[in-house]
Amino acid sequence: MSVVIAVDGTAASGKGTLAKRLARHFGFAHMDSGALYRLTALAVLDNGGDPSREADALKGARAIDLSRAGDPAIRTDIVGSAASQVAAIPAIRAALHDFQLAFLVKPPGGSPGAVMDGRDIGTVIAPNATAKLFVDAAPEVRAHRRWLELRGMGINRDEGELLNEIRARDHADRTRTISPLKQAFDAALLDTTSLGIEPAFAAALHLVSAKVESALKDRQRG
Ligand code: CDP
């Protein structure tokens, strides 16, 4: 395993932005595991399938097009809700598990470490991660951030509806039987309710840097 920073958390808590910034800071590779579930969901919806049906979801997982990971089409809340449905299917989690693990064992570009964000990175995918963060914020604040993010993509949504969707998705993610969203016992909690991007990044760095630097030194010593 490389030096791994696991960043889990609730919907629109800012974990993706933090994960990217941490990866850039340490020169690590970054994977947004949510994009895998979103790409699966998009493939199911494009095929006219039902995201809660295992056969349709598996067909979608096999059709994942990784080159679309940066496509704004996967960021919509329709795809987010469908992603939450495919993510509750054990066969889908199994199909995506090895892919995520391979990334952490041997990050692309020969990088000494990787940052992965999602829901179960610190609990299931990498329980022995070097450092773990659990990112959360008040639902109203998260709904407002998602509203701003979507507006930036030219999508105008009612903020109250977004709040309901975020609450529903958190509930589904927390209560599913397989790999539910929960803070790992050894993850540091980062509440970004009153933190902008820069202070949140500074706080995240403060929480992980000693562990990461020491693991990097151990690796150098071989
Ligand atoms: O960006 P946001 O937090 O809204 O969502 P995301 O991280 O892209 O994840 C979309 C959905 O995929 C989540 O609601 C989860 O149901 C699922 N997911 C998961 O089950 N496990 C992961 N490691 C990542 C995402």
Side-chain angles (χ1 to χ4, degrees), residues 4-56:
V4 173
I5 307 176
V7 184
D8 291 304
T10 50
S13 56
K15 61 190 181 322
T17 305
L18 287 174
K20 265 186 231 137
R21 292 285 302 264
L22 287 169
R24 209 187 315 148
H25 177 86
F26 290 110
F28 288 0
H30 168 242
M31 181 188 274
D32 163 15
S33 67
L36 301 176
Y37 295 91
R38 285 176 179 267
L39 284 166
T40 302
L42 182 69
V44 175
L45 297 176
D46 282 352
N47 288 334
D50 172 355
S52 64
R53 256 192 88 220
E54 182 177 307
D56 291 357

Side-chain angles (χ1 to χ4, degrees), residues 7-16 32-38 74-77 79-88 93 96 100 116-121 125 142 146 149 166 169-170 172-174 176 178-181:
V7 184
D8 291 304
T10 50
S13 56
K15 61 190 181 322
D32 163 15
S33 67
L36 301 176
Y37 295 91
R38 285 176 179 267
I74 69 164
R75 296 289 145 204
T76 68
D77 285 82
V79 174
S81 300
S84 189
Q85 287 181 288
V86 301
R93 303 204 76 87
L96 298 178
Q100 294 169 80
M116 190 173 285
D117 64 283
R119 301 290 186 289
D120 64 339
I121 311 307
I125 304 292
R142 293 189 279 124
R146 183 53 40 100
E149 185 191 346
I166 279 182
R169 193 142 63 83
D170 280 353
D173 289 346
R174 283 187 194 278
R176 68 182 175 216
I178 180 148
S179 300
L181 166 68

